[in-house]
Amino acid sequence: MGKKLLITNKIRTLRFFANEMTQLELAEKAGASRQTIMALEAGKYTPSLELAFRIADAFGVSICEVFEYKKEEESK
């Protein structure tokens, strides 16, 4: 079949280097809930493009510094 996109993020690392920003602080800056940030960090949720940009903006970095993707072969 086709290839599946695997999207990963560096939110936890970025929070650590942003004076240990809490999930709640990031959520407030990005206009999301703390639960959404938790799910993102756990890899259980993929954000909308708008939210991805707002998270990057909260850290003052480009979206590519927060999220990355790679194509993964789907198992049959």
Side-chain angles (χ1 to χ4, degrees):
M1 290 193 86
K3 293 185 179 201
K4 182 180 177 182
L5 284 181
L6 178 63
I7 298 174
T8 59
N9 70 72
K10 298 176 183 158
I11 293 173
R12 176 67 193 102
T13 302
L14 288 164
R15 285 195 307 106
F16 178 80
F17 288 110
N19 295 317
E20 298 191 26
M21 181 189 297
T22 67
Q23 289 175 332
L24 183 58
E25 289 170 331
L26 176 57
E28 289 171 350
K29 287 182 178 212
S33 70
R34 181 176 168 270
Q35 288 78 11
T36 297
I37 301 302
M38 286 173 57
L40 283 166
E41 285 188 7
K44 295 180 178 176
Y45 175 71
T46 301
S48 67
L49 189 55
E50 180 183 346
L51 178 55
F53 275 107
R54 289 196 318 247
I55 290 170
D57 189 53
F59 289 119
V61 299
S62 74
I63 196 169
C64 296
E65 292 179 66
V66 183
F67 298 95
E68 47 181 55
Y69 74 94
K70 62 183 174 183
K71 292 179 182 175
E72 186 180 78
E73 292 288 340
E74 288 188 51
S75 43
K76 293 184 178 182

